[in-house]
Amino acid sequence: MSFSHLEFSNRLISQLPADSETDNVCRSVENAVFSWVSPTSTSQPSLINLNQTLADTLGFSAAESASEQFTNLMTGNALLDGMKPYALCYGGHQFGQWAGQLGDGRAINLAEINTAQLGYQTLQLKGAGKTPYSRRADGLAVLRSSIREYLCSEAMFNLGIPTTRALSLCLTGDQVIRDKMYDGNAQLEPCAIVCRVSPSFLRFGSIQLPASRGDEKLVKQLVEFSINNDYPHLKPKNKNFTVETYLNWFRAVCDNTSTMIVHWMRVGFVHGVMNTDNMSLIGETIDYGPYGWIDDFDLGWTPNTTDEGQKRYRFGAQFQVSQWNLFQLANAIFPLINEVEPLQATMSDYAIHYDKKWQQMMASKLGFKEYQGISDVHIFQTLETLLAEVETDMTLFYRLLATYQKDSDALNHFNSCYYQKEQLTTRYQQSLTDWLQRYQARLSFDGLSAVERQKSMNQVNPKYVLRNYLAQQAIERAEQGDYSEIEKLKTLFTKPYDEQPELSVYAQKRPDWARDKVGCSMLSCSS
Ligand code: AMP
Ligand code: MG
């Protein structure tokens, strides 16, 4: 098997400074963006799921992706000529505190390839062994967290949300001890590797780290690299970067970030660990850890038990956190700008632009032709109050809203989306009926037919989301050696907006047994 058609571009390693030390030992890495490091070989690699569609679009032939060599590549047991693996150096604010140097502690980048269909894409193995950034950890990833990343990133992609992607899910044959809930119940777990794919794995923290060390030269190199490679439309024609070029880049990062967060709010995705080392410079959802999906609409919910006390990264705080994170990025690039005012103006615009995108998004969820001004905001806010007042399944509610017809019995229509029927007081019923009347009046203003409205709403309100318990069921089966549920969910989530009636059991609300179950509503950072 040749793979000889792959065109390795490797722009990052050829344009940015490498760590001069090559021993794979933990250390502080300065004046460098990455360290050379090879993946650790594994005892018995096996491919348990392949993202055939992505493999095809990246240019791997069916024979190549079915080959033993492909499995070896996807588990770090083989390299192709042209692959020069490395780990990135970055820092970050974790839960609001500056954590200093972090870096790819268990992610190893294999290569950047230039593909006909997707342009430049870097292939990265997550869980491929220790790197100079592993600190006190082992560089490995367990099967459960790998399944969660593998399924969720592709579900997000098919929901139309910017995200890193996942090409393959492999077992390594090795095992590692993990204390899943940090409660003293450590267990041996199977190790796995996901091959992630993205045009860029640079994070806010990639720029923050050199900035924190006063290394302005590296900050400048990184920002210019990001402009040249990921925001080429901002590249100055005469190659002379100016303050305005850097500001335009920062505005573009803000723009991509707000777009991403609005999508998260649209589908009920809670990232769970929005540390600045987990914020992509190209505005992709990255680092799927203790993320979760909203079942009952609750702006205060976070799946991450490590964040239980503060709930810093709760559903309803994601915009504010993204803003806080962008402030940190603004501070990091300050030496390139040297003026507070334009950065402050960009941050004020961030809130304004976010609001605009959120309003458009909510209008589309409700089936309005366009956002019509402040009276619409009142409709959105009253609805969110209603959804939160009694436990209401967010995903089911919006799909049912699309088929709601004037004057039909509200409780009967929305019956299947309530978790606690005893909460449905007369007062609540009256509020819902009032809201629906107001909604109907607003709809008649647009004059769309019922069919048109339903069609447009079902394009933005998914029928299927990767409810936490669905991923957990796939994990439990896989831990028994049955990988069929992974395949089934992967296929289901290729069309999350389609009815797929034969699979509608996957659209049901969270079953009662999953309400407080570990893995379903409670997840830790252990992975
Ligand atoms: P995360 O919270 O997953 O974004 O991880 C924060 C930092 O810890 C990153 O630098 C990761 O690379 C590192 N890290 C997480 N898990 C491991 C592990 N098992 N081995 C080495 N480094 C890890
Ligand atoms: Mg991370």
Side-chain angles (χ1 to χ4, degrees):
M1 201 60 55
S2 69
F3 296 93
S4 59
H5 58 91
L6 291 182
E7 192 190 313
F8 294 110
S9 35
N10 296 341
R11 294 172 306 169
L12 187 143
I13 55 173
S14 58
Q15 294 174 30
L16 290 171
D19 176 9
S20 53
E21 215 175 297
T22 49
D23 284 351
N24 190 3
V25 289
C26 289
R27 57 178 176 270
S28 167
V29 175
E30 299 191 16
N31 312 113
V33 171
F34 64 92
S35 301
W36 302 112
V37 62
S38 296
T40 303
S41 36
T42 68
S43 65
Q44 220 184 337
S46 62
L47 179 74
I48 59 176
N49 206 285
L50 171 72
N51 183 349
Q52 187 69 60
T53 320
L54 180 57
D56 293 347
T57 31
L58 286 172
F60 291 99
S61 71
E64 281 170 340
S65 50
S67 69
E68 193 180 330
Q69 195 180 2
F70 183 81
T71 301
N72 284 330
L73 287 169
M74 295 296 103
T75 49
N77 291 290
L79 293 172
L80 298 172
D81 281 348
M83 286 182 166
K84 294 185 184 140
Y86 65 95
L88 287 167
C89 180
Y90 52 78
H93 277 91
Q94 297 190 312
F95 299 95
Q97 304 293 325
W98 176 243
Q101 179 181 304
L102 298 165
D104 285 337
R106 55 168 166 177
I108 296 182
N109 302 276
L110 288 180
E112 181 189 58
I113 51 177
N114 190 5
T115 70
Q117 289 191 51
L118 298 176
Y120 295 103
Q121 297 287 336
T122 295
L123 307 182
Q124 182 191 77
L125 304 182
K126 184 167 175 183
K130 282 190 183 170
T131 76
Y133 309 99
S134 298
R135 296 175 291 157
R136 282 179 301 280
D138 49 30
L140 303 174
V142 292
L143 178 60
R144 64 182 150 82
S145 58
S146 306
I147 293 174
R148 284 170 51 80
E149 170 135 20
Y150 183 72
L151 288 176
C152 194
S153 59
E154 285 304 301
M156 293 286 271
F157 174 76
N158 291 311
L159 284 162
I161 303 173
T163 177
T164 60
R165 301 198 58 190
L167 173 61
S168 59
L169 172 64
C170 293
L171 281 171
T172 67
D174 303 311
Q175 292 194 311
V176 68
I177 289 189
R178 285 281 187 276
D179 183 354
K180 191 155 63 174
M181 293 313 291
Y182 303 127
D183 59 2
N185 286 315
Q187 280 185 339
L188 267 181
E189 294 192 49
C191 293
I193 297 179
V194 170
C195 179
R196 304 200 288 193
V197 180
S198 171
S200 170
F201 287 101
L202 293 175
R203 299 124 194 278
F204 290 10
S206 306
I207 303 210
Q208 283 183 281
L209 183 63
S212 74
R213 293 166 168 169
D215 188 348
E216 282 177 31
K217 184 175 162 217
L218 199 49
V219 170
K220 186 167 181 295
Q221 274 180 299
L222 276 159
V223 172
E224 292 181 2
F225 177 84
S226 176
I227 294 169
N228 286 331
N229 297 287
D230 295 316
Y231 295 89
H233 59 289
L234 301 178
K235 220 161 40 174
K237 295 224 164 43
N238 56 9
K239 295 199 179 139
N240 285 335
F241 288 84
T242 62
V243 168
E244 201 45 36
T245 321
Y246 303 131
L247 279 170
N248 283 336
W249 171 82
F250 182 62
R251 289 180 191 121
V253 176
C254 287
D255 191 36
N256 285 342
T257 305
S258 60
T259 298
M260 172 184 80
I261 305 283
V262 169
H263 277 300
W264 292 359
M265 301 311 288
R266 170 172 67 83
V267 298
F269 175 78
V270 189
H271 183 284
V273 199
M274 292 176 69
N275 292 335
T276 56
D277 52 303
N278 292 338
M279 297 290 295
S280 142
L281 281 181
I282 55 172
E284 283 188 343
T285 314
I286 190 171
D287 280 11
Y288 292 83
Y291 68 80
W293 293 83
I294 289 293
D295 292 307
D296 54 291
F297 181 84
D298 178 0
L299 291 167
W301 184 71
T302 174
N304 183 0
T305 52
T306 315
D307 188 24
E308 207 165 36
Q310 213 186 350
K311 292 199 191 323
R312 180 180 175 87
Y313 298 140
R314 63 193 181 275
F315 181 46
Q318 298 192 115
F319 159 68
Q320 281 86 351
V321 170
S322 70
Q323 193 178 35
W324 190 91
N325 289 344
L326 283 162
F327 262 116
Q328 309 315 313
L329 182 60
N331 277 334
I333 61 161
F334 182 75
L336 303 184
I337 313 286
N338 272 314
E339 252 188 295
V340 177
E341 195 277 326
L343 286 169
Q344 262 174 357
T346 306
M347 289 311 302
S348 312
D349 286 347
Y350 181 67
I352 295 168
H353 294 155
Y354 177 86
D355 278 349
K356 278 202 181 131
K357 289 180 194 179
W358 183 82
Q359 287 155 357
Q360 294 294 353
M361 177 275 285
M362 286 300 290
S364 70
K365 275 182 90 64
L366 292 182
F368 301 165
K369 255 189 193 160
E370 260 168 68
Y371 170 70
Q372 288 288 351
I374 195 72
S375 60
D376 279 356
V377 170
H378 193 245
I379 295 178
F380 307 152
Q381 286 172 343
T382 313
L383 173 61
E384 293 205 330
T385 308
L386 274 173
L387 292 179
E389 190 175 322
V390 302
E391 284 185 21
T392 314
D393 191 89
M394 172 180 165
T395 307
L396 283 174
F397 181 87
Y398 281 104
R399 285 298 274 212
L400 286 170
L401 188 62
T403 55
Y404 181 77
Q405 283 174 9
K406 200 167 189 282
D407 300 329
S408 47
D409 179 74
L411 269 202
N412 193 30
H413 184 80
F414 291 104
N415 185 41
S416 61
C417 65
Y418 296 116
Y419 283 91
Q420 317 251 28
K421 300 271 159 67
E422 66 277 13
Q423 293 177 332
L424 304 171
T425 59
T426 322
R427 194 179 60 83
Y428 168 78
Q429 291 176 41
Q430 189 56 52
S431 311
L432 178 65
T433 309
D434 292 348
W435 183 84
L436 284 166
Q437 267 170 10
R438 191 147 172 220
Y439 174 59
Q440 287 294 337
R442 171 63 179 82
L443 287 178
S444 55
F445 173 84
D446 277 343
L448 286 181
S449 74
V451 176
E452 284 172 317
R453 173 174 70 93
Q454 187 182 343
K455 189 164 168 237
S456 79
M457 288 174 76
N458 287 353
Q459 283 167 356
V460 290
N461 297 316
K463 170 148 180 190
Y464 299 95
V465 293
L466 185 61
R467 293 172 187 273
N468 312 304
Y469 85 92
L470 293 177
Q472 183 59 21
Q473 283 177 332
I475 289 166
E476 285 172 16
R477 287 217 199 159
E479 286 177 340
Q480 305 301 317
D482 171 2
Y483 308 117
S484 58
E485 195 66 10
I486 299 174
E487 179 62 27
K488 206 165 174 187
L489 288 178
K490 183 186 75 178
T491 310
L492 171 73
F493 283 106
T494 56
K495 295 181 192 131
Y497 298 100
D498 287 9
E499 282 298 323
Q500 306 189 63
E502 68 290 358
L503 293 168
S504 60
V505 53
Y506 289 102
Q508 285 171 7
K509 65 173 187 257
R510 176 198 62 218
D512 245 5
W513 59 259
R515 175 177 277 266
D516 296 314
K517 189 172 172 326
V518 170
C520 296
S521 59
M522 291 195 287
L523 293 138
S524 78
C525 286
S526 157
S527 59

